[in-house]
Amino acid sequence: MTSREKTLIGAVAAAGLLWFGSQGLTRYREKVTQSKNQHTAAEQALSDANVAQLRGARARKRLNEWRAQSLPTNQEIAESLYQDWLRAQLAGAGMNVVQLTDKSGSAKNPQFGEVTVAGKAEGSLAQLTDFLHRFYAGPHLHRLTNSTIAASDGGQKLTFDFTAAALILPDAKRKDTLAEGDPRPIEGVKSLDDVRQRLVDRNLFVAHAPKGNEAAVDNNAADAEITATVGGSYGDQGWQLWVRHKTSGQVSRFLRGDSIQFGSFKGKVVEIDNRRVVVETDKGRMEFRTGQNFSQGTLLAPPAA
């Protein structure tokens, strides 16, 4: 074998080794990538399983809470006991119970049963507030599906018509007793006394009666209508604000920097331009447009620092 043939054979062998080596490296890299992908997929599957387990635990906890709130599984006993409970809450709030009637349907649902009671009661706003607080703080899985309030004697006497619906879960443990427990907290309600006092102080069933000269003051602000912003010439005075008093017909003119007051509204004119004026008030800057009066302004956002 000549030297040239030996060199050629060596070169071919080296090329073969390089090719097989590169193929092996490629397969190794593919295996590494595949292993990383499998590892990532396994981590994701584990994370999904943990999330599903957490959700399942929360769902089971919620379902157990609902079971604890369910009416007893015996439908007839549930209907009787729930009516008695409603009557006790209405009477406990001081209301006069006019009527309570079972309106439960005969249709059966394998997932839950339902007790429906239609009622009518009479009392004051404070007593109705007390009952509603008792109802929503009650331990049952229930709600008011509709209600109507009719007022008489200037809102001193209310007639409350309502329909309440409560659920029966088939796997609840109680068969012949209602749920018990401390009153449940009501979101946004700190105390019954606070809510009751606010409702009673502001009687919802009579028109608001302004105190003292409040009505006259507000009427003065509404009487002052912006009729024009006049620019004519931009001399030393610049734009003018024209305000017409609708009652007297008198027209007042103001410049930028002038103080104004119409009834309860007062402030200082800080901007006047085409069909627009801005007034600085104790509440902030108010914007008014031509044709508006001084009870119809828009509060502007504070200027950027």
Side-chain angles (χ1 to χ4, degrees):
M1 181 181 295
T2 66
S3 175
R4 184 170 178 273
E5 289 174 337
K6 291 179 180 179
T7 301
L8 181 61
I9 291 171
V12 171
L17 288 172
L18 288 173
W19 184 83
F20 282 111
S22 66
Q23 289 297 308
L25 181 60
T26 299
R27 285 194 294 270
Y28 172 75
R29 288 175 176 172
E30 289 176 349
K31 289 294 185 181
V32 169
T33 301
Q34 183 180 10
S35 177
K36 287 182 178 179
N37 291 339
Q38 290 174 344
H39 182 72
T40 301
E43 287 183 338
Q44 184 62 48
L46 179 60
S47 176
D48 291 344
N50 289 335
V51 170
Q53 184 179 18
L54 180 60
R55 288 176 177 171
R58 289 175 177 173
R60 286 192 297 274
K61 179 181 178 182
R62 189 61 175 149
L63 182 57
N64 288 334
E65 291 173 353
W66 288 344
R67 287 171 180 153
Q69 294 175 257
S70 168
L71 293 186
T73 54
N74 185 301
Q75 179 80 25
E76 292 183 358
I77 293 177
E79 292 170 0
S80 176
L81 292 180
Y82 187 59
Q83 279 197 52
D84 291 343
W85 184 87
L86 286 173
R87 188 182 303 276
Q89 304 314 306
L90 289 164
M95 300 192 75
N96 175 40
V97 181
V98 178
Q99 181 180 348
L100 285 177
T101 306
D102 178 63
K103 294 292 184 179
S104 303
S106 57
K108 299 297 182 182
N109 186 314
Q111 304 300 324
F112 63 88
E114 186 176 62
V115 171
T116 304
V117 178
K120 175 184 285 190
E122 297 173 340
S124 66
L125 180 57
Q127 292 168 337
L128 176 56
T129 305
D130 192 340
F131 166 71
L132 292 175
H133 188 274
R134 289 166 174 261
F135 183 89
Y136 286 109
H140 311 303
L141 198 60
H142 65 169
R143 64 183 179 127
L144 292 177
T145 57
N146 62 69
S147 61
T148 303
I149 302 173
S152 58
D153 298 337
Q156 298 302 308
K157 180 180 179 181
L158 306 180
T159 300
F160 178 54
D161 288 278
F162 66 93
T163 302
L167 295 184
I168 303 173
L169 298 186
D171 51 356
K173 296 180 179 180
R174 288 170 290 99
K175 295 182 178 180
D176 54 6
T177 58
L178 292 177
E180 297 179 348
D182 296 331
R184 293 184 298 153
I186 302 174
E187 185 176 355
V189 177
K190 294 181 179 179
S191 69
L192 169 61
D193 291 338
D194 178 58
V195 174
R196 181 167 49 201
Q197 191 61 46
R198 279 187 290 161
L199 289 174
V200 171
D201 287 347
R202 175 65 176 98
N203 193 332
L204 304 176
F205 301 97
V206 295
H208 174 58
K211 299 178 181 179
N213 64 345
E214 179 184 338
V217 168
D218 289 342
N219 285 339
N220 287 335
D223 184 64
E225 181 182 50
I226 299 172
T227 56
T229 54
V230 180
S233 122
Y234 291 92
D236 293 337
Q237 292 185 334
W239 287 82
Q240 289 185 359
L241 167 65
W242 289 21
V243 179
R244 184 176 70 89
H245 302 263
K246 291 185 287 185
T247 302
S248 65
Q250 178 184 354
V251 176
S252 301
R253 296 173 177 82
F254 301 92
L255 300 174
R256 181 177 177 179
D258 287 347
S259 297
I260 60 175
Q261 181 169 357
F262 301 102
S264 61
F265 180 85
K266 59 182 179 179
K268 180 180 180 180
V269 179
V270 293
E271 291 182 34
I272 308 175
D273 54 35
N274 188 25
R275 304 179 62 83
R276 172 180 174 274
V277 60
V278 177
V279 180
E280 186 78 47
T281 71
D282 292 339
K283 297 179 179 179
R285 293 195 169 195
M286 302 282 294
E287 181 186 72
F288 300 88
R289 298 281 179 173
T290 302
Q292 290 184 321
N293 61 58
F294 283 94
S295 67
Q296 298 174 322
T298 301
L299 185 64
L300 300 178

